[in-house]
Amino acid sequence: MTTIAAEGAPSYISAGYTLRSWLTTRDHKRIALLYGVSILFFFLVAAAAAAMIRLELLTPAGDLVDDDTYNKLFTVHGVVMVWFFLIPSIPSTFGNFLIPLMIGAKDVAFPRLNLASWYIYTLGGLFVVVTLIAGGVDTGWTFYTPYTTMFSNSHVILAVTGVFIVGFSSIFTGLNFIVTVHQMRAPGMTWFRLPLFVWAHYATSLVMVLATPVLAMTLALIAIERLLGVGIFDPALGGDPLLFQHLFWFYSHPAVYIMILPAMGVVSEVITCFSRKPVFGYQFMVYSLLAIAAVGFMVWGHHMFVSGQSMYAGMVFSLLSFLVAIPSAIKVFNWTATLYKGSVRFDAPMLYALGFIGLFMMGGITGIWLAALAADVHLTDTYFVVAHFHYIMVGGAVMAFFSALHFWWPKVTGRLYPDGWARAGAIVMFVGFNLTFFPQYIAGYLGMPRRYHVYPPEFQVLNVLSSGGAVVLGVGYLLPLLYLWWSLRRGRLAGANPWGATGLEWQTPSPPPTYNFASAPRVEGPPYAYQAGGTDGR
Amino acid sequence: MAAEGTSAMAASHFADAEQRETAATFGMWIFLATEVLFFGVLFAGYTVSRVQHAEAFILAGRHTDVLLGSINTAVLLTSSLTMALAVRAGSVGWRRSCAAWLVLTAVLGVAFLAIKGYEWHEDWLQGLVPGLRFAYSGPDAPGVELFFFLYFVMTGLHALHLTIGILVIAVMALLAARGRFSAAYHTPIVLTGLYWHFIDVVWIFLYPLFYLVSRS
């Protein structure tokens, strides 16, 4: 495989070392790193809240924090993890870094808007930090009315303002990606030659652009209602609290797909590279990404089976939710079919990706239980739900984030990390994750409700297991931080293509030069031209 | 390549001017799609509230000023015409004509805001402002208050968009007068036009909902 860019062109990192050069950059790769640092900060904030929650739940009594503090802890964990880590996690970092590289462009379509989106994210994050310093918010990440508008005495307006603002950063990111994919593709890069990572981000961007404004306006209405004591959500004022839930979930269910679709894109790239086979059923993979994004808009009511919506609406939403399982299953089948008769290598990115498949399947199948009307009556608002969505959002999205981190780390930094440590980290994370969240399925099935800090003593064994698992999981998150940090200075030089992968991003030096390619690449064949059994550059 | 300044970078990441123009226009359309959903929440809220408080909405709808509302509709539609003429003048490179049509559009926008402001003032005097000064004590007061809540949020948000539009148009008029645009490059005016027409379309939905449907 040849390297297109001229050797010796300065990389995007050496283009400038001052703080100013970073804060005013329009290079999509640098903006990706700005996002990376920011989301790491918020990940740690939200993880600290999770650690407190797991510590409290070690014993049935409420001995670490009082109930008000506990409410604030799970609220900040949810708000920060969802809007300040998971939503931007893969798109704003790896999406930003890789999409222009993968389609052979010099940058995204609107570099200034890209930088602006990071500043908007930071401003929203500032509101959340102020909320925390001021004393926190206790409504749960769902901000249900009329509790948020009438009864909560915590800093609701500050918190919803932060989320309102950060929404625009994801709208701008989505807008930028859509236009970039439409307009900036290199000659020969036809739609069906796009890597699945790009397709996944295209589908994600559609959801970002169409769902986020709904959340923004809904949160604005909450703030107005709380300020002025009038509004359309409070039943005491003639409003309709179910309307709030409909609007909230109209965004927040598709938001799950904002988290999982990019993860699917990552896993598709990694699986095919480490099986040394073209991805199985490329076109079906594309259509199922788009189908998930489209059908994902029509299933929000499955969050409201017990909140008094019409039974018939419940039936329709239940059926549509089952429908999402079909494209999701197509993807899982195609990944496994890609592995079949491939020359499978178990490098660290692959271990994370395989972990993703297992955990995503587990989360997806329990999602089917929850989409079933009768089963949901028993399971809703229990730890079963908590376990289900953590399997998707942590087991799925975060595992894929780490897979991406390990796969493209050599491209981003130009360095290789110690492989043994990385594999160990992947295994520790997988074990720790299952130990944390599998017991929660059982606790929930047995009836332990979510969002309480005291619980009946018979659930203690399961909670101790879960808290113990959280420690292992914490180690799993800490390990990569350490050896990746180490690799920045001491790691071996990676070269342009350490994995022998196809894809334009591997044909330019690591780290890439500012404009990505010395001359505009020309694409002449389908993606994933791997030869099964061949070593292809390794 | 990397040694170039950041300002040169933004100018040259497109292959050619045509790509830049298509990208900008496409981006604007997507932005307008997000705006549709942004306003869409309020239209959904209006629909649900109207179904739940049908009588109250009919009562409340008679308290808006249909005459001023209609005049404003005419003013705004006319401004869309002048905007379209400005875009046309821009695309054929008539610099002064383009600037003049833009100024006229902005003036019509200000006229709309003035009339709207007068209406809001009248509503304030009549005690029809929910949360701040609501003195209506007839039947179905909570439903009437909801109607006026939606009225103020929706016309307020519309006016906010209009204000932004007027400011952008003023800048564009200035740039056009200074000869920054030509037949070959006038994308910013096209984008401003798209945004302005969108604001107009929103009003075309607000006008019947708040001024017409309850009157018979």
Side-chain angles (χ1 to χ4, degrees):
Chain A
M1 197 154 288
T2 53
T3 301
I4 290 179
E7 297 299 335
S11 77
Y12 75 98
I13 295 172
S14 58
Y17 291 103
T18 59
L19 185 64
R20 191 187 147 83
S21 79
W22 280 91
L23 293 181
T24 59
T25 183
R26 290 171 198 167
D27 186 338
H28 64 103
K29 300 181 286 302
R30 289 185 153 224
I31 295 167
L33 292 199
L34 290 176
Y35 262 115
V37 172
S38 316
I39 66 166
L40 175 66
F41 169 76
F42 283 106
F43 179 76
L44 294 177
V45 169
M52 298 277 284
I53 291 168
R54 281 322 318 166
L55 203 58
E56 166 60 52
L57 292 176
L58 262 181
T59 61
D63 21 35
L64 179 66
V65 293
D66 60 22
D67 39 9
D68 275 340
T69 313
Y70 186 80
N71 292 346
K72 289 175 178 174
L73 281 174
F74 71 67
T75 303
V76 73
H77 174 69
V79 167
V80 175
M81 276 297 188
V82 168
W83 283 296
F84 294 88
F85 176 69
L86 284 165
I87 296 274
S89 63
I90 297 177
S92 296
T93 56
F94 295 105
N96 231 335
F97 196 99
L98 293 165
I99 288 172
L101 280 165
M102 284 180 165
I103 64 173
K106 287 180 180 171
D107 206 321
V108 292
F110 309 117
R112 267 186 295 188
L113 188 68
N114 200 11
L115 181 64
S117 87
W118 179 74
Y119 278 103
I120 291 167
Y121 171 91
T122 309
L123 181 67
L126 218 62
F127 270 89
V128 167
V129 172
V130 172
T131 308
L132 287 179
I133 294 170
V137 57
D138 67 351
T139 60
W141 79 282
T142 46
F143 297 121
Y144 267 23
T145 58
Y147 183 67
T148 19
T149 53
M150 286 284 281
F151 302 107
S152 171
N153 291 316
S154 56
H155 298 278
V156 177
I157 292 184
L158 270 178
V160 297
T161 309
V163 176
F164 176 88
I165 293 172
V166 84
F168 287 92
S169 95
S170 75
I171 289 175
F172 291 153
T173 301
L175 190 157
N176 224 332
F177 287 174
I178 293 175
V179 179
T180 304
V181 174
H182 270 270
Q183 301 290 336
M184 310 292 283
R185 283 170 287 128
M189 180 56 92
T190 58
W191 282 91
F192 282 102
R193 285 176 181 173
L194 287 173
L196 289 173
F197 181 89
V198 177
W199 268 114
H201 278 78
Y202 184 76
T204 306
S205 302
L206 290 176
V207 181
M208 282 176 159
V209 159
L210 295 178
T212 318
V214 174
L215 176 78
M217 181 51 75
T218 307
L219 294 180
L221 285 173
I222 282 190
I224 298 172
E225 190 162 329
R226 199 175 155 84
L227 271 176
L228 297 181
V230 280
I232 55 173
F233 297 140
D234 188 345
L237 304 169
D240 185 354
L242 265 192
L243 176 62
F244 171 81
Q245 296 184 21
H246 278 295
L247 294 172
F248 179 82
W249 290 114
F250 181 85
Y251 165 80
S252 292
H253 191 78
V256 177
Y257 299 110
I258 297 179
M259 304 170 200
I260 207 68
L261 286 169
M264 291 171 160
V266 169
V267 169
S268 301
E269 299 294 320
V270 172
I271 296 269
T272 174
C273 174
F274 292 98
S275 308
R276 317 235 51 91
K277 266 181 66 191
V279 78
F280 182 87
Y282 171 87
Q283 293 212 359
F284 265 85
M285 294 296 255
V286 171
Y287 291 132
S288 55
L289 284 169
L290 295 174
I292 292 170
V295 183
F297 266 107
M298 296 180 280
V299 301
W300 77 87
H302 66 214
H303 295 270
M304 301 165 56
F305 285 160
V306 297
S307 37
Q309 82 181 349
S310 143
M311 184 180 76
Y312 300 102
M315 285 157 72
V316 173
F317 280 124
S318 171
L319 271 173
L320 285 166
S321 305
F322 289 142
L323 213 62
V324 186
I326 296 171
S328 308
I330 288 175
K331 301 203 75 70
V332 173
F333 292 144
N334 284 9
W335 288 321
T336 42
T338 307
L339 292 171
Y340 179 66
K341 287 195 174 170
S343 311
V344 179
R345 287 183 55 112
F346 295 100
D347 293 272
M350 185 65 159
L351 289 181
Y352 282 110
L354 293 173
F356 169 95
I357 295 181
L359 298 179
F360 172 73
M361 248 177 57
M362 187 74 193
I365 288 172
T366 49
I368 298 287
W369 298 24
L370 290 167
L373 284 168
D376 186 66
V377 173
H378 172 61
L379 296 172
T380 192
D381 279 333
T382 70
Y383 260 86
F384 192 89
V385 175
V386 175
H388 154 71
F389 71 72
H390 278 89
Y391 264 73
I392 298 285
M393 288 151 77
V394 186
V398 179
M399 286 296 264
F401 179 82
F402 276 92
S403 180
L405 188 62
H406 287 81
F407 189 53
W408 284 292
W409 182 262
K411 180 53 61 185
V412 174
T413 66
R415 302 276 179 171
L416 290 170
Y417 45 81
D419 199 46
W421 282 100
R423 292 183 208 207
I427 291 164
V428 170
M429 205 179 287
F430 185 80
V431 171
F433 176 84
N434 279 301
L435 193 54
T436 310
F437 291 104
F438 196 81
Q440 295 184 6
Y441 275 128
I442 303 170
Y445 195 83
L446 296 175
M448 178 165 164
R450 63 192 286 201
R451 292 186 168 176
Y452 286 82
H453 77 315
V454 290
Y455 56 86
E458 65 258 35
F459 293 123
Q460 192 175 9
V461 176
L462 292 167
N463 274 290
V464 169
L465 280 175
S466 182
S467 295
V471 175
V472 181
L473 188 58
V475 172
Y477 288 142
L478 212 59
L479 267 178
L481 277 185
L482 297 177
Y483 62 74
L484 289 178
W485 182 259
W486 178 90
S487 81
L488 278 179
R489 290 210 172 278
R490 310 252 172 111
R492 278 191 299 121
L493 289 178
N497 192 1
W499 311 119
T502 65
L504 289 177
E505 81 268 31
W506 300 105
Q507 298 183 29
T508 191
S510 315
T514 300
Y515 271 142
N516 298 341
F517 303 98
S519 59
R522 177 168 290 278
V523 182
E524 268 151 19
Y528 313 120
Y530 292 105
Q531 304 289 324
T535 49
D536 199 18
R538 297 200 57 126
Chain B
M1 195 152 79
E4 285 175 5
T6 44
S7 54
M9 206 192 290
S12 61
H13 69 284
F14 288 109
D16 50 41
E18 191 199 343
Q19 190 188 33
R20 179 167 68 174
E21 188 186 336
T22 328
T25 315
F26 186 38
M28 191 66 190
W29 277 105
I30 295 173
F31 174 71
L32 295 181
T34 72
E35 288 273 45
V36 168
L37 282 139
F38 198 59
F39 277 97
V41 170
L42 296 171
F43 285 103
Y46 178 96
T47 310
V48 169
S49 304
R50 187 176 182 97
V51 168
Q52 289 179 350
H53 305 275
E55 299 291 316
F57 269 50
I58 292 170
L59 279 175
R62 295 178 186 198
H63 288 272
T64 54
D65 194 325
V66 69
L67 179 64
L68 290 180
S70 305
I71 293 174
N72 248 351
T73 307
V75 168
L76 207 56
L77 285 178
T78 312
S79 83
S80 251
L81 171 68
T82 56
M83 186 73 227
L85 290 169
V87 173
R88 167 74 187 153
S91 69
V92 291
W94 295 342
R95 167 154 67 104
R96 290 182 46 197
S97 154
C98 175
W101 286 123
L102 284 171
V103 169
L104 190 55
T105 310
V107 167
L108 286 169
V110 172
F112 177 94
L113 283 183
I115 295 170
K116 193 73 229 157
Y118 175 76
E119 264 187 88
W120 285 337
H121 179 66
E122 289 293 301
D123 296 329
W124 174 264
L125 293 181
Q126 290 177 38
L128 290 174
V129 185
L132 299 173
R133 183 176 167 132
F134 194 72
Y136 179 89
S137 55
D140 279 330
V144 172
E145 194 170 10
L146 270 189
F147 176 90
F148 275 98
F149 171 76
L150 287 162
Y151 165 79
F152 275 99
V153 171
M154 293 170 87
T155 57
L157 188 69
H158 177 260
L160 176 69
H161 278 75
L162 202 74
T163 310
I164 295 169
I166 291 169
L167 294 174
V168 174
I169 288 177
V171 173
M172 288 303 148
L174 205 65
L175 292 178
R178 284 185 184 169
R180 282 281 295 277
F181 305 119
S182 60
Y185 174 71
H186 56 277
T187 318
I189 296 176
V190 175
L191 301 187
T192 311
L194 282 174
Y195 177 73
W196 191 260
H197 296 315
F198 169 79
I199 300 172
D200 210 5
V201 170
V202 172
W203 180 258
I204 287 172
F205 284 89
L206 293 181
Y207 172 60
L209 290 185
F210 288 113
Y211 294 89
L212 296 186
V213 284
S214 304
R215 291 191 159 84
S216 50

